[in-house]
Amino acid sequence: MRTVHDARASTASVAAALHDVASLGGFFVLQVGGPDDGWHSLARSYAAGFTDLAEAVARRHRTPEPRIDVSIAQLGHAARLWSPALACVVLHGIVPDLEGLQRADDGPALRVPRPAGWYADRLDDTSARALYRQVTGHLSALGEGLRVKVAPRLLDGNSASALAGAAHALLALRPAVRGPLTDLTTELLDTGRLAGTGVLTGPDLTFRRRSCCLYYRAPNGSKCGDCGLAGGVRRPALR
C-alpha cells in the first residue's frame, strides 16, 4: 500500500512547477525561497485576525462595515491560495504542500520558504481532496481567528468564487487544459464546505455563487459578476 511519503515530489520538481505557474502572473504568483527578512508565518496573521489586511481594505474602499473589509481581505487571500495550487495540479500533476506558507510583512503576497508537495497520481486520495485540504486548512484557520463576525457560508462562497476565478483565468491562459481543469474544478466545488456554494454556468468556467462578498456595500462598490444577488461586472480591487 502506498503512503503519503511515497508520493512526495522532489524539491526541484515542486520549485520548477511553482516558478512556471508564477509566470502566469497575478494571483498565480507564489514566491519560492529567498531571504527570510520581510516575511512571517501565516499562522501569526490568522491569530491576529488578518487585521492589517482588513484595515488596508477599509482605507482603500472607505467601507462602512468591518465585515466588508474582512470579507474582501479573505477573498483576496483565497485567490492567492487557490490560483497557484490549482495550476500546479493541472499543469504539472503536483499538489503543493502549503503548510509552511508565509506572508509578506507589508502586504498580502505569499511565499513558500522550502518547496514541497506530492505527485497527484501517486496519492491514494484524489487530487481534488488533497488540494482541498491544503487550501481550506488555511481558510479555516483564517476564519477561526477573525475578530469580526462574518457568516461562515459567506466565507465559503468567497472560497468557491476564488477557486472558480482561478480556473477561469487559467483556462484563458492555457486553453489546452480545458478537460482536466473543468473536471478538477467541478469535483472541488462538490467537496466539503464548497458544496452548495454555487454552480459553474458555462464552458469558460464562469460561476454563479449563492452568496455575496458584500463589495456592493462599499461606497464605490457594486455587485460582482458571480454575485448571488444579481449580475454585475466589477470585482473589488484585491491587493
Side-chain angles (χ1 to χ4, degrees):
M1 180 176 178
R2 291 179 301 184
T3 66
V4 172
H5 179 75
D6 295 329
R8 274 285 179 185
S10 68
T11 298
S13 296
V14 179
L18 290 171
H19 281 301
D20 177 61
V21 165
S23 71
L24 299 172
F27 292 108
F28 293 98
V29 176
L30 176 58
Q31 297 190 43
V32 179
D36 292 334
D37 290 346
W39 299 91
H40 63 272
S41 73
L42 271 171
R44 192 175 94 191
S45 281
Y46 298 150
F50 246 46
T51 305
D52 60 330
L53 293 186
E55 290 173 348
V57 170
R59 290 191 297 270
R60 186 162 64 252
H61 295 291
R62 303 188 302 281
T63 49
E65 302 173 68
R67 65 186 182 130
I68 303 173
D69 311 329
V70 167
S71 174
I72 294 175
Q74 188 258 8
L75 175 58
H77 186 58
R80 288 178 176 83
L81 293 168
W82 279 119
S83 299
L86 180 71
C88 270
V89 174
V90 173
L91 300 180
H92 297 278
I94 289 175
V95 179
D97 186 344
L98 304 181
E99 182 177 354
L101 277 185
Q102 298 175 336
R103 209 200 90 197
D105 292 341
D106 59 357
L110 300 180
R111 167 185 181 251
V112 56
R114 288 168 294 280
W118 302 270
Y119 293 114
D121 61 357
R122 298 183 190 176
L123 289 168
D124 285 333
D125 206 352
T126 67
S127 56
R129 289 193 175 278
L131 178 56
Y132 174 87
R133 286 194 298 270
Q134 289 300 310
V135 173
T136 60
H138 279 276
L139 296 178
S140 294
L142 192 165
E144 289 168 4
L146 292 178
R147 312 290 173 81
V148 176
K149 183 176 177 59
V150 182
R153 286 306 275 172
L154 184 156
L155 298 177
D156 294 338
N158 283 355
S159 176
S161 177
L163 166 62
H168 178 77
L170 181 57
L171 179 60
L173 292 165
R174 300 285 178 88
V177 301
R178 177 184 299 275
L181 174 60
T182 300
D183 291 345
L184 179 57
T185 304
T186 300
E187 185 175 353
L188 282 165
L189 289 171
D190 285 334
T191 300
R193 297 192 63 87
L194 296 182
T197 54
V199 294
L200 294 172
T201 58
D204 57 350
L205 300 181
T206 50
F207 182 69
R208 176 55 57 92
R209 61 186 288 178
R210 295 192 170 98
S211 59
C212 173
C213 72
L214 305 178
Y215 177 57
Y216 79 99
R217 297 179 67 89
N220 295 312
S222 64
K223 297 180 179 68
C224 303
D226 65 355
C227 185
L229 300 180
V233 294
R234 296 182 60 193
R235 292 200 67 94
L238 304 176
R239 177 171 171 268

